[in-house]
Amino acid sequence: MSQAKNAIVTGSTSGIGLGIAEAFAGAGMNVVLNGFGDQAEIEQTRVRLEETHGVKVLYSAADMSKPGDIAEMVGNAKAALGRIDVLVNNAGIQHVAPIDEFPDEKWDAIIAINLSSAFHTTKAVLPDMKSQGWGRIINLASAHGLVASPFKSAYVAAKHGMLGMTKTVALEVAEQNITVNAICPGYVLTPLVEKQIPDTAKARGISEEEVIKTVMLGGQPTKKFVQTDELGALALFLCSDAAASITGTALPVDGGWTAQ
Ligand code: NAD
């Protein structure tokens, strides 16, 4: 990258988003962090990234289920950094239950946060990316964007939808040096996954240890969780000029899960 780029990474106060933000800051990019959590911890992370890497790191508390918050986050980021070069749509939540017991409000929240937020952020950043003639949009889908598992109807629907949107936007902006790709991780041991272990145990009638061994790592041939720094490295590569011809893809990083 010839000049310092500016990136927004949604849902970057923990897990994969934080891993991507770390990789970006480490490569000299300015980053807007977003997400929920303990305010003092978030501020510590923000300052640590700034001081370690000598870049600007901002924080937005925008709720990705609220289009008004999203517009404000993008507007503030542009005002503070001048322009947005890279957008990572990563914020996400999960709920595990059979569909006939699936709470309506969980369905709505998962579709809003895991899918519709990416529509609103993309719509907000694209006009400037087009006028700059350069941009990178990276959508965190999932192996569950490619295949299903029971009891995750909203999540699987949202992630399949994310792949459809990725392909569509990639085609719309293909001639403008803007690439749009989806990363499809297998299981990564983040708070999102830790929280679903008890519910999956209940839904399947097995122990929490069995959930990790058989449900999560059973289908992942490497028998290892994917690491957040591996996903950070891939996101960084997608931002490079070497990745200029990679667009409209769904890139599995799943230890072989979807090869089966
Ligand atoms: P995580 O729970 O560690 O992080 C989720 C982030 O999203 C946090 O920063 C959280 O504060 C933020 N967030 C949640 N609701 C939000 C909202 N309404 N507005 C703004 N921010 C919000 O989870 P993770 O595992 O790092 O997941 C990140 C993304 O990767 C998600 O889209 C998830 O579906 C996807 N993913 C995760 C895995 C995995 O195994 N962990 C696998 C495949 C895909």
Side-chain angles (χ1 to χ4, degrees), residues 147-230:
V147 295
S149 296
F151 315 122
K152 295 184 176 178
S153 53
Y155 188 86
V156 171
K159 296 300 187 184
H160 276 67
M162 188 73 130
L163 294 189
M165 192 171 66
T166 300
K167 293 179 199 171
T168 306
V169 182
L171 296 180
E172 291 182 19
V173 297
E175 291 182 45
Q176 287 154 296
N177 293 322
I178 303 168
T179 67
V180 188
N181 290 288
I183 298 179
C184 299
Y187 280 102
V188 190
L189 195 55
T190 63
L192 179 140
V193 163
E194 283 163 7
K195 275 183 251 162
Q196 66 187 272
I197 294 172
D199 290 343
T200 304
K202 192 171 149 225
R204 291 183 182 246
I206 56 176
S207 71
E208 295 189 14
E209 293 68 35
E210 281 299 298
V211 171
I212 295 177
K213 207 170 143 212
T214 58
V215 180
M216 296 180 169
L217 299 182
Q220 211 151 277
T222 51
K223 304 292 177 219
K224 284 183 197 145
F225 284 105
V226 175
Q227 302 299 310
T228 57
D229 59 352
E230 296 167 349

Coordinates of all heavy atoms in Angstrom, one line a residue, residues 147-230:
V147 N -22.5 -23.8 4.0 CA -23.2 -25.0 4.5 C -24.0 -24.7 5.7 O -23.7 -23.7 6.4 CB -22.2 -26.2 4.8 CG1 -21.4 -26.6 3.5 CG2 -21.2 -25.8 5.9
A148 N -24.9 -25.6 6.1 CA -25.7 -25.3 7.2 C -25.4 -26.2 8.4 O -24.6 -27.2 8.2 CB -27.2 -25.5 6.9
S149 N -25.8 -25.9 9.6 CA -25.8 -26.8 10.7 C -27.2 -26.6 11.3 O -27.8 -25.5 11.3 CB -24.8 -26.4 11.8 OG -23.5 -26.5 11.3
P150 N -27.8 -27.6 12.0 CA -29.1 -27.4 12.6 C -29.0 -26.4 13.7 O -28.0 -26.2 14.3 CB -29.4 -28.9 13.1 CG -28.1 -29.6 13.2 CD -27.2 -29.0 12.1
F151 N -30.2 -25.9 14.0 CA -30.4 -25.0 15.2 C -29.8 -23.6 15.0 O -29.7 -22.8 16.0 CB -29.9 -25.6 16.5 CG -30.3 -27.1 16.6 CD1 -29.4 -28.1 16.8 CD2 -31.7 -27.4 16.6 CE1 -29.8 -29.4 16.9 CE2 -32.1 -28.7 16.7 CZ -31.1 -29.7 16.9
K152 N -29.4 -23.2 13.8 CA -28.8 -21.9 13.6 C -29.5 -21.2 12.4 O -28.8 -20.7 11.5 CB -27.3 -22.0 13.3 CG -26.5 -22.6 14.5 CD -25.0 -22.6 14.3 CE -24.3 -23.1 15.6 NZ -22.9 -23.2 15.4
S153 N -30.8 -21.3 12.3 CA -31.5 -20.9 11.1 C -31.2 -19.4 10.8 O -30.9 -19.1 9.6 CB -33.0 -21.1 11.3 OG -33.5 -20.5 12.5
A154 N -31.3 -18.5 11.7 CA -31.1 -17.1 11.4 C -29.7 -16.8 11.0 O -29.4 -16.1 10.0 CB -31.5 -16.3 12.7
Y155 N -28.7 -17.4 11.7 CA -27.3 -17.2 11.4 C -27.0 -17.7 10.0 O -26.3 -17.0 9.2 CB -26.5 -17.9 12.5 CG -25.0 -17.6 12.5 CD1 -24.5 -16.5 13.1 CD2 -24.1 -18.5 11.8 CE1 -23.1 -16.3 13.1 CE2 -22.8 -18.2 11.8 CZ -22.3 -17.1 12.5 OH -20.9 -16.9 12.5
V156 N -27.4 -18.9 9.7 CA -27.1 -19.5 8.4 C -27.8 -18.7 7.3 O -27.2 -18.5 6.2 CB -27.5 -21.0 8.4 CG1 -27.4 -21.6 7.0 CG2 -26.6 -21.8 9.4
A157 N -29.0 -18.3 7.5 CA -29.7 -17.5 6.5 C -28.9 -16.1 6.3 O -28.7 -15.7 5.2 CB -31.1 -17.2 7.0
A158 N -28.5 -15.5 7.4 CA -27.8 -14.2 7.3 C -26.5 -14.4 6.6 O -26.1 -13.6 5.7 CB -27.6 -13.6 8.7
K159 N -25.8 -15.5 6.9 CA -24.4 -15.7 6.3 C -24.5 -16.1 4.8 O -23.7 -15.6 4.0 CB -23.6 -16.7 7.1 CG -23.3 -16.3 8.5 CD -22.5 -15.0 8.6 CE -22.0 -14.7 10.0 NZ -21.3 -13.4 10.1
H160 N -25.5 -16.9 4.5 CA -25.8 -17.1 3.0 C -26.1 -15.8 2.3 O -25.7 -15.6 1.2 CB -26.9 -18.2 2.8 CG -26.4 -19.6 2.9 ND1 -26.0 -20.2 4.1 CD2 -26.3 -20.6 2.0 CE1 -25.6 -21.4 3.9 NE2 -25.8 -21.7 2.6
G161 N -26.9 -15.0 3.0 CA -27.3 -13.7 2.4 C -26.1 -12.8 2.2 O -26.0 -12.1 1.2
M162 N -25.2 -12.9 3.1 CA -24.0 -12.1 3.1 C -23.2 -12.4 1.8 O -22.6 -11.6 1.2 CB -23.1 -12.3 4.3 CG -21.9 -11.4 4.5 SD -22.5 -9.7 5.0 CE -21.4 -9.4 6.4
L163 N -23.1 -13.7 1.5 CA -22.4 -14.1 0.3 C -23.1 -13.6 -1.0 O -22.4 -13.2 -1.9 CB -22.2 -15.6 0.2 CG -21.4 -16.3 1.3 CD1 -21.1 -17.8 1.0 CD2 -20.0 -15.6 1.5
G164 N -24.4 -13.6 -1.0 CA -25.1 -13.1 -2.1 C -24.9 -11.6 -2.3 O -24.6 -11.1 -3.4
M165 N -24.8 -10.9 -1.2 CA -24.6 -9.4 -1.3 C -23.1 -9.2 -1.8 O -22.9 -8.3 -2.6 CB -24.9 -8.7 0.0 CG -24.9 -7.2 -0.2 SD -25.5 -6.4 1.3 CE -24.2 -6.8 2.4
T166 N -22.2 -10.0 -1.2 CA -20.8 -9.8 -1.6 C -20.6 -9.9 -3.1 O -20.0 -9.1 -3.8 CB -20.0 -10.9 -0.9 OG1 -20.1 -10.8 0.5 CG2 -18.5 -10.8 -1.3
K167 N -21.2 -11.0 -3.7 CA -21.1 -11.2 -5.1 C -21.7 -10.1 -5.9 O -21.2 -9.6 -6.9 CB -21.7 -12.5 -5.6 CG -21.1 -13.8 -5.0 CD -21.8 -15.0 -5.5 CE -21.5 -16.2 -4.6 NZ -22.4 -17.3 -4.9
T168 N -22.9 -9.6 -5.5 CA -23.6 -8.6 -6.2 C -22.9 -7.3 -6.2 O -22.7 -6.7 -7.3 CB -25.0 -8.4 -5.6 OG1 -25.7 -9.6 -5.5 CG2 -25.9 -7.4 -6.4
V169 N -22.4 -6.9 -5.0 CA -21.7 -5.6 -5.0 C -20.4 -5.7 -5.7 O -20.0 -4.7 -6.4 CB -21.5 -5.1 -3.5 CG1 -20.8 -3.8 -3.5 CG2 -22.8 -5.1 -2.8
A170 N -19.7 -6.8 -5.7 CA -18.4 -7.0 -6.4 C -18.7 -6.7 -7.9 O -17.8 -6.1 -8.5 CB -17.9 -8.4 -6.2
L171 N -19.8 -7.2 -8.4 CA -20.0 -7.0 -9.9 C -20.3 -5.6 -10.2 O -19.9 -5.0 -11.2 CB -21.2 -7.9 -10.3 CG -21.0 -9.4 -10.2 CD1 -22.3 -10.2 -10.6 CD2 -19.8 -9.9 -11.0
E172 N -21.0 -4.9 -9.2 CA -21.4 -3.5 -9.5 C -20.2 -2.6 -9.5 O -20.3 -1.6 -10.2 CB -22.4 -3.0 -8.4 CG -23.8 -3.7 -8.5 CD -24.8 -3.2 -7.4 OE1 -24.5 -2.1 -6.8 OE2 -25.7 -3.9 -7.2
V173 N -19.1 -2.9 -8.8 CA -18.0 -2.0 -8.7 C -16.7 -2.5 -9.3 O -15.6 -2.0 -9.1 CB -17.8 -1.5 -7.2 CG1 -19.0 -0.8 -6.7 CG2 -17.4 -2.7 -6.3
A174 N -16.9 -3.6 -10.1 CA -15.7 -4.3 -10.5 C -14.7 -3.4 -11.3 O -13.5 -3.7 -11.3 CB -16.1 -5.5 -11.3
E175 N -15.2 -2.5 -12.1 CA -14.4 -1.7 -12.9 C -13.8 -0.5 -12.2 O -13.1 0.4 -12.9 CB -15.2 -1.2 -14.2 CG -15.5 -2.4 -15.1 CD -16.3 -1.9 -16.3 OE1 -15.9 -0.9 -16.9 OE2 -17.3 -2.5 -16.7
Q176 N -14.0 -0.3 -10.9 CA -13.6 0.9 -10.2 C -12.5 0.7 -9.2 O -12.4 1.4 -8.2 CB -14.9 1.5 -9.6 CG -15.7 2.2 -10.7 CD -17.2 2.3 -10.4 OE1 -17.9 1.3 -10.2 NE2 -17.6 3.5 -10.2
N177 N -11.8 -0.4 -9.4 CA -10.7 -0.7 -8.4 C -11.2 -0.9 -7.0 O -10.5 -0.6 -6.0 CB -9.6 0.4 -8.4 CG -8.8 0.4 -9.7 OD1 -8.6 -0.6 -10.3 ND2 -8.5 1.6 -10.1
I178 N -12.4 -1.4 -6.9 CA -13.0 -1.7 -5.6 C -13.3 -3.2 -5.6 O -13.9 -3.7 -6.5 CB -14.3 -1.0 -5.3 CG1 -14.1 0.5 -5.4 CG2 -14.9 -1.3 -4.0 CD1 -15.4 1.4 -5.5
T179 N -12.7 -3.9 -4.6 CA -13.0 -5.4 -4.5 C -13.9 -5.6 -3.3 O -13.8 -4.9 -2.3 CB -11.7 -6.2 -4.4 OG1 -11.0 -6.0 -3.1 CG2 -10.7 -5.9 -5.5
V180 N -14.7 -6.7 -3.4 CA -15.6 -7.0 -2.4 C -15.5 -8.5 -2.2 O -15.8 -9.3 -3.2 CB -17.1 -6.6 -2.8 CG1 -18.0 -6.8 -1.6 CG2 -17.1 -5.2 -3.2
N181 N -15.1 -9.0 -1.0 CA -14.9 -10.4 -0.8 C -15.5 -10.8 0.6 O -15.6 -10.0 1.5 CB -13.4 -10.7 -0.8 CG -12.9 -10.6 -2.2 OD1 -13.2 -11.5 -3.1 ND2 -12.1 -9.6 -2.5
A182 N -15.8 -12.1 0.7 CA -16.2 -12.6 2.0 C -15.2 -13.6 2.5 O -14.7 -14.4 1.7 CB -17.6 -13.3 1.8
I183 N -14.9 -13.5 3.8 CA -14.1 -14.5 4.4 C -15.1 -15.5 5.2 O -16.0 -15.0 5.8 CB -13.1 -13.9 5.4 CG1 -12.2 -13.0 4.6 CG2 -12.3 -14.9 6.2 CD1 -11.1 -12.2 5.5
C184 N -14.8 -16.8 5.0 CA -15.7 -17.8 5.6 C -15.0 -18.6 6.6 O -14.5 -19.7 6.3 CB -16.3 -18.7 4.5 SG -17.3 -17.7 3.3
P185 N -14.8 -18.1 7.9 CA -14.1 -18.9 8.9 C -14.9 -20.1 9.3 O -16.1 -20.1 9.4 CB -13.9 -17.9 10.0 CG -14.3 -16.6 9.5 CD -15.3 -16.8 8.4
G186 N -14.1 -21.2 9.7 CA -14.7 -22.2 10.5 C -14.7 -21.8 12.0 O -14.8 -20.6 12.2
Y187 N -14.7 -22.7 12.9 CA -14.8 -22.3 14.3 C -13.5 -21.6 14.8 O -12.4 -22.1 14.7 CB -15.1 -23.5 15.2 CG -16.5 -23.9 15.1 CD1 -17.0 -25.0 14.4 CD2 -17.5 -23.2 15.9 CE1 -18.3 -25.3 14.3 CE2 -18.8 -23.5 15.8 CZ -19.2 -24.6 15.0 OH -20.6 -24.9 15.0
V188 N -13.7 -20.4 15.4 CA -12.7 -19.6 16.0 C -13.1 -19.5 17.5 O -14.3 -19.1 17.7 CB -12.6 -18.2 15.4 CG1 -11.4 -17.5 15.8 CG2 -12.7 -18.3 13.8
L189 N -12.2 -19.7 18.4 CA -12.6 -19.7 19.8 C -12.7 -18.3 20.4 O -11.8 -17.8 21.0 CB -11.7 -20.6 20.7 CG -12.3 -20.9 22.1 CD1 -13.6 -21.6 22.0 CD2 -11.3 -21.8 22.9
T190 N -13.8 -17.6 20.1 CA -14.0 -16.2 20.5 C -15.2 -16.2 21.5 O -15.9 -17.2 21.6 CB -14.4 -15.3 19.3 OG1 -15.6 -15.8 18.8 CG2 -13.3 -15.4 18.2
P191 N -15.5 -15.0 22.1 CA -16.7 -15.0 23.0 C -18.0 -15.5 22.3 O -18.8 -16.1 22.9 CB -16.8 -13.5 23.3 CG -15.3 -13.0 23.3 CD -14.7 -13.8 22.1
L192 N -18.1 -15.2 21.0 CA -19.3 -15.6 20.3 C -19.5 -17.1 20.3 O -20.6 -17.7 20.5 CB -19.3 -15.1 18.8 CG -20.4 -15.5 17.8 CD1 -20.7 -14.3 17.0 CD2 -20.1 -16.6 17.0
V193 N -18.4 -17.8 20.1 CA -18.4 -19.3 20.1 C -18.5 -19.8 21.6 O -19.3 -20.8 21.8 CB -17.2 -19.9 19.4 CG1 -16.9 -21.3 19.7 CG2 -17.4 -19.7 17.9
E194 N -17.8 -19.2 22.5 CA -17.9 -19.7 23.9 C -19.3 -19.6 24.4 O -19.8 -20.6 25.1 CB -16.9 -18.8 24.8 CG -15.5 -19.2 24.6 CD -14.5 -18.2 25.2 OE1 -15.0 -17.2 25.8 OE2 -13.3 -18.3 24.9
K195 N -20.0 -18.5 24.0 CA -21.4 -18.4 24.5 C -22.4 -19.4 24.0 O -23.4 -19.7 24.6 CB -21.9 -17.0 24.2 CG -21.5 -15.9 25.1 CD -22.1 -14.5 24.7 CE -21.0 -13.6 24.2 NZ -21.4 -12.5 23.5
Q196 N -22.1 -20.0 22.8 CA -23.1 -20.9 22.2 C -22.8 -22.4 22.7 O -23.7 -23.2 22.4 CB -23.1 -20.8 20.7 CG -21.8 -21.2 20.0 CD -21.8 -21.0 18.5 OE1 -22.3 -21.8 17.7 NE2 -21.4 -19.8 18.1
I197 N -21.8 -22.6 23.4 CA -21.5 -24.0 23.8 C -22.6 -24.5 24.7 O -23.2 -25.6 24.4 CB -20.1 -24.1 24.5 CG1 -19.0 -23.8 23.4 CG2 -19.9 -25.5 25.1 CD1 -17.6 -23.7 23.9
P198 N -23.0 -23.8 25.8 CA -24.1 -24.3 26.6 C -25.4 -24.5 25.9 O -26.1 -25.6 26.1 CB -24.3 -23.3 27.7 CG -23.1 -22.3 27.6 CD -22.5 -22.5 26.3
D199 N -25.8 -23.6 25.0 CA -27.1 -23.7 24.3 C -27.0 -24.9 23.3 O -28.0 -25.6 23.1 CB -27.4 -22.4 23.5 CG -27.8 -21.3 24.4 OD1 -28.1 -21.6 25.6 OD2 -27.7 -20.1 24.0
T200 N -25.9 -25.1 22.6 CA -25.7 -26.2 21.7 C -25.8 -27.5 22.5 O -26.5 -28.5 22.0 CB -24.4 -26.1 20.9 OG1 -24.4 -24.8 20.3 CG2 -24.3 -27.2 19.9
A201 N -25.2 -27.5 23.7 CA -25.3 -28.8 24.5 C -26.7 -29.1 24.8 O -27.2 -30.2 24.7 CB -24.5 -28.5 25.8
K202 N -27.5 -28.0 25.2 CA -28.9 -28.2 25.5 C -29.7 -28.7 24.3 O -30.5 -29.6 24.3 CB -29.5 -26.9 26.0 CG -30.8 -27.0 26.7 CD -31.2 -25.7 27.4 CE -32.7 -25.6 27.4 NZ -33.1 -24.2 27.0
A203 N -29.5 -28.0 23.1 CA -30.3 -28.3 21.9 C -30.0 -29.7 21.5 O -30.9 -30.4 20.9 CB -30.0 -27.3 20.8
R204 N -28.8 -30.2 21.6 CA -28.4 -31.5 21.2 C -28.4 -32.6 22.2 O -28.2 -33.8 21.9 CB -27.0 -31.5 20.5 CG -26.9 -30.7 19.2 CD -25.5 -30.7 18.6 NE -25.4 -30.0 17.4 CZ -25.2 -30.5 16.2 NH1 -25.1 -31.7 16.0 NH2 -25.1 -29.7 15.2
G205 N -28.6 -32.2 23.5 CA -28.7 -33.1 24.6 C -27.4 -33.8 24.8 O -27.3 -35.0 25.1
I206 N -26.3 -33.1 24.7 CA -24.9 -33.6 25.0 C -24.2 -32.7 25.9 O -24.6 -31.6 26.2 CB -24.1 -33.9 23.7 CG1 -24.0 -32.5 22.9 CG2 -24.8 -34.9 22.8 CD1 -23.2 -32.6 21.6
S207 N -23.0 -33.1 26.4 CA -22.2 -32.3 27.3 C -21.5 -31.2 26.6 O -21.3 -31.3 25.4 CB -21.2 -33.2 28.1 OG -20.2 -33.6 27.2
E208 N -21.0 -30.2 27.3 CA -20.3 -29.1 26.7 C -19.0 -29.6 26.1 O -18.5 -29.1 25.0 CB -20.1 -28.0 27.7 CG -21.4 -27.3 28.2 CD -21.3 -26.1 29.0 OE1 -20.2 -25.5 29.1 OE2 -22.3 -25.7 29.6
E209 N -18.3 -30.5 26.7 CA -17.0 -31.1 26.2 C -17.3 -31.7 24.8 O -16.5 -31.6 23.9 CB -16.4 -32.1 27.2 CG -15.9 -31.6 28.5 CD -17.0 -31.1 29.4 OE1 -18.1 -31.7 29.4 OE2 -16.8 -30.1 30.1
E210 N -18.5 -32.5 24.8 CA -18.8 -33.1 23.5 C -19.1 -32.1 22.4 O -18.8 -32.4 21.2 CB -20.0 -34.0 23.7 CG -19.7 -35.4 24.4 CD -18.7 -36.2 23.6 OE1 -19.1 -36.6 22.4 OE2 -17.6 -36.5 24.0
V211 N -19.7 -31.0 22.8 CA -20.0 -29.9 21.8 C -18.6 -29.5 21.1 O -18.5 -29.4 19.9 CB -20.7 -28.7 22.4 CG1 -20.7 -27.5 21.5 CG2 -22.1 -29.1 22.9
I212 N -17.6 -29.2 22.0 CA -16.3 -28.8 21.4 C -15.7 -29.9 20.6 O -15.3 -29.6 19.4 CB -15.3 -28.4 22.6 CG1 -15.9 -27.2 23.3 CG2 -13.9 -28.1 22.0 CD1 -15.1 -26.7 24.5
K213 N -15.7 -31.1 21.1 CA -15.0 -32.2 20.4 C -15.7 -32.7 19.2 O -15.1 -32.8 18.1 CB -14.9 -33.4 21.4 CG -13.7 -34.3 21.1 CD -13.5 -35.3 22.3 CE -13.0 -36.5 21.6 NZ -13.4 -37.7 22.3
T214 N -17.0 -32.9 19.3 CA -17.7 -33.5 18.1 C -18.4 -32.5 17.2 O -18.3 -32.5 16.0 CB -18.8 -34.5 18.6 OG1 -19.7 -33.9 19.5 CG2 -18.1 -35.7 19.3
V215 N -19.1 -31.5 17.8 CA -19.9 -30.5 17.0 C -18.9 -29.5 16.3 O -19.0 -29.3 15.1 CB -21.0 -29.8 17.8 CG1 -21.7 -28.8 16.9 CG2 -21.9 -30.8 18.5
M216 N -18.0 -28.9 17.1 CA -17.2 -27.9 16.6 C -16.0 -28.4 15.9 O -15.8 -28.3 14.7 CB -16.8 -26.9 17.7 CG -18.0 -26.2 18.3 SD -17.6 -25.1 19.6 CE -19.2 -24.2 19.8
L217 N -15.1 -29.1 16.6 CA -13.9 -29.6 16.0 C -14.1 -30.9 15.2 O -13.2 -31.3 14.4 CB -12.8 -29.7 17.0 CG -12.4 -28.3 17.7 CD1 -11.3 -28.5 18.6 CD2 -12.1 -27.3 16.6
G218 N -15.2 -31.6 15.5 CA -15.5 -32.9 14.8 C -15.5 -32.7 13.3 O -15.0 -33.5 12.5
G219 N -16.1 -31.6 12.8 CA -16.3 -31.3 11.4 C -15.1 -30.5 10.8 O -15.1 -30.2 9.6
Q220 N -14.2 -30.1 11.7 CA -13.0 -29.3 11.2 C -11.8 -30.2 11.1 O -11.2 -30.5 12.2 CB -12.8 -28.2 12.2 CG -12.3 -26.9 11.5 CD -12.7 -25.6 12.3 OE1 -13.8 -25.1 12.0 NE2 -11.9 -25.1 13.1
P221 N -11.5 -30.8 9.9 CA -10.5 -31.8 9.8 C -9.1 -31.6 10.5 O -8.5 -32.5 11.0 CB -10.3 -32.0 8.3 CG -11.6 -31.6 7.8 CD -12.1 -30.4 8.6
T222 N -8.7 -30.3 10.6 CA -7.5 -30.0 11.3 C -7.6 -30.3 12.8 O -6.6 -30.4 13.5 CB -7.1 -28.5 11.1 OG1 -8.2 -27.7 11.5 CG2 -6.7 -28.2 9.7
K223 N -8.8 -30.4 13.3 CA -9.1 -30.6 14.8 C -8.6 -29.4 15.6 O -8.2 -29.6 16.8 CB -8.5 -31.9 15.3 CG -9.0 -33.1 14.5 CD -10.5 -33.4 14.7 CE -11.0 -34.5 13.9 NZ -12.3 -34.3 13.3
K224 N -8.4 -28.3 15.0 CA -7.9 -27.1 15.7 C -8.9 -25.9 15.4 O -9.4 -25.8 14.3 CB -6.6 -26.7 15.1 CG -5.4 -27.5 15.6 CD -4.1 -26.9 15.0 CE -3.0 -27.9 15.1 NZ -2.1 -27.9 13.9
F225 N -9.0 -25.0 16.4 CA -9.7 -23.8 16.1 C -8.9 -22.9 15.2 O -7.7 -22.9 15.2 CB -10.0 -23.0 17.4 CG -11.1 -23.6 18.3 CD1 -10.8 -24.3 19.4 CD2 -12.4 -23.4 17.9 CE1 -11.8 -24.9 20.2 CE2 -13.4 -23.9 18.7 CZ -13.2 -24.7 19.8
V226 N -9.6 -22.2 14.3 CA -9.0 -21.2 13.4 C -8.5 -20.0 14.4 O -9.2 -19.7 15.3 CB -9.9 -20.6 12.4 CG1 -9.3 -19.5 11.6 CG2 -10.4 -21.8 11.5
Q227 N -7.4 -19.4 14.1 CA -6.9 -18.3 14.9 C -7.2 -16.9 14.3 O -7.2 -16.8 13.1 CB -5.3 -18.4 15.0 CG -4.9 -19.8 15.6 CD -5.4 -20.0 17.0 OE1 -5.3 -19.2 17.9 NE2 -6.0 -21.2 17.3
T228 N -7.5 -16.0 15.2 CA -7.8 -14.6 14.8 C -6.7 -14.0 14.0 O -7.0 -13.2 13.0 CB -8.2 -13.7 15.9 OG1 -7.2 -13.6 16.9 CG2 -9.5 -14.2 16.6
D229 N -5.4 -14.3 14.3 CA -4.4 -13.6 13.5 C -4.3 -14.2 12.1 O -3.8 -13.5 11.2 CB -3.0 -13.7 14.3 CG -2.5 -15.1 14.6 OD1 -3.3 -16.0 14.3 OD2 -1.4 -15.2 15.0
E230 N -4.8 -15.4 11.9 CA -4.8 -15.9 10.5 C -5.8 -15.1 9.7 O -5.6 -14.9 8.5 CB -5.2 -17.4 10.5 CG -4.2 -18.3 11.3 CD -4.7 -19.7 11.5 OE1 -5.9 -20.0 11.4 OE2 -3.9 -20.6 11.9

